[in-house]
């Protein structure tokens, strides 16, 4: 009634699939069966010799950690952790390491104040206890101000050197500035007062 006649649609159905594929530009080969594809992709979940596989895995991890530790001491970009990798992060490290940061002395002063406050308590020396508490709070305020100034400096220096700065560089630099210089990893590559390039 409204459809095509059976005689007209019959020749289209009789064409071979290969001819149809070449007309459309298909892959030119039959689709593999599911069992063949699964057999080709099948890998054993557990290796045949578990102990040997674990030993190889541990040795590979040990070698990777050794390379990473060496890179943290030499500054080799290839093996640094992802957190420290890249030209922008290296530049931020150089900016931080080139200046004297108040934050690196905070832990030392806080430790000394803690020892003094422990000594002051048994002796009932309220003046010493108050002095150590005030020293910690004053040092904390100075560290906050120094961190804000460092953040501005990092932001300006990175914007001047790189057209598209990464995110998180300021916090990366401030975190590094709060560490004692000898304990920083990767180790500082510039001397204090040097101009980072």
């Amino acid at each position: 009634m409204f459809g095509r006649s059976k005689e007209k649609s019959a020749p289209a159905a009789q064409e071979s699939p290969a001819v149809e594929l070449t007309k459309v530009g298909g892959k030119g080969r039959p689709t593999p069966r599911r069992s063949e594809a699964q057999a080709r992709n099948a890998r054993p979940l557990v290796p045949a010799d578990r102990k040997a596989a674990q030993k190889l895995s541990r040795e590979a991890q040990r070698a990777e950690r050794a390379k990473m530790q060496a890179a943290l001491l030499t500054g080799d970009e290839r093996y640094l952790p992802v957190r420290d990798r890249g030209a922008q992060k290296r530049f931020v490290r150089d900016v931080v390491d080139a200046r004297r940061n108040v934050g690196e002395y905070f832990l030392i002063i806080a430790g000394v104040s803690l020892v003094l406050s422990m000594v002051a308590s048994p002796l009932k020396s309220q003046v010493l206890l108050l002095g150590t508490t005030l020293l910690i709070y004053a040092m904390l305020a100075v560290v906050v101000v120094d961190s804000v100034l460092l953040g501005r400096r990092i932001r300006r220096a990175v914007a001047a050197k790189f057209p598209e700065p990464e995110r998180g560089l300021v916090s990366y630099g401030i975190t590094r500035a709060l560490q004692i210089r000898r304990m920083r990893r990767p180790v500082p590559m510039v001397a204090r007062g040097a101009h980072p390039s």
Side-chain angles (χ1 to χ4, degrees):
M1 183 168 178
F2 291 109
R4 294 184 195 161
S5 66
K6 291 183 181 179
E7 293 134 8
K8 291 182 182 175
S9 63
Q14 291 176 353
E15 288 184 22
S16 69
V19 174
E20 189 178 319
L21 283 177
T22 53
K23 281 183 187 175
V24 179
K27 60 187 178 186
R29 58 181 169 76
T31 303
R33 295 180 180 272
R34 178 182 284 187
S35 59
E36 293 170 1
Q38 287 176 345
R40 187 174 54 231
N41 294 334
R43 294 185 189 100
L45 294 175
V46 179
D49 188 3
R50 282 187 178 184
K51 288 187 179 180
Q54 285 178 345
K55 185 177 180 183
L56 286 173
S57 174
R58 277 196 301 268
E59 287 174 2
Q61 288 174 355
R62 191 176 300 122
E64 192 68 28
R65 280 195 302 270
K67 286 179 186 176
M68 195 177 293
Q69 287 298 324
L72 288 172
L73 296 175
T74 61
D76 187 5
E77 286 284 330
R78 294 173 299 167
Y79 301 112
L80 282 177
V82 178
R83 170 181 61 98
D84 299 314
R85 207 174 292 163
Q88 294 185 24
K89 296 218 173 139
R90 182 179 184 109
F91 179 71
V92 169
R93 287 195 302 269
D94 291 346
V95 168
V96 171
D97 295 337
R99 79 191 282 267
R100 192 170 295 274
N101 303 294
V102 180
E104 60 189 287
Y105 302 110
F106 178 71
L107 287 177
I108 298 168
I109 292 173
V112 170
S113 298
L114 183 65
V115 170
L116 286 175
S117 66
M118 288 168 46
V119 169
S121 292
L123 298 176
K124 307 284 188 207
S125 175
Q126 297 298 325
V127 175
L128 186 59
L129 193 59
L130 182 65
T132 55
T133 305
L134 288 176
L135 179 65
I136 288 179
Y137 282 119
M139 190 67 185
L140 187 60
V142 172
V143 167
V144 168
V145 171
D146 186 57
S147 297
V148 169
L149 295 175
L150 175 64
R152 286 183 182 173
R153 184 174 184 177
I154 290 171
R155 210 173 276 118
R156 279 196 306 263
V158 168
K161 186 168 175 75
F162 299 100
E164 293 181 12
E166 295 176 20
R167 293 181 57 157
L169 292 176
V170 173
S171 61
Y172 177 75
I174 290 172
T175 305
R176 185 171 177 87
L178 294 175
Q179 298 169 356
I180 299 170
R181 186 177 170 92
R182 289 185 182 180
M183 309 291 282
R184 292 179 188 164
R185 295 293 180 267
V187 294
M189 295 291 175
V190 294
R192 287 192 200 272
H195 184 69
S197 56

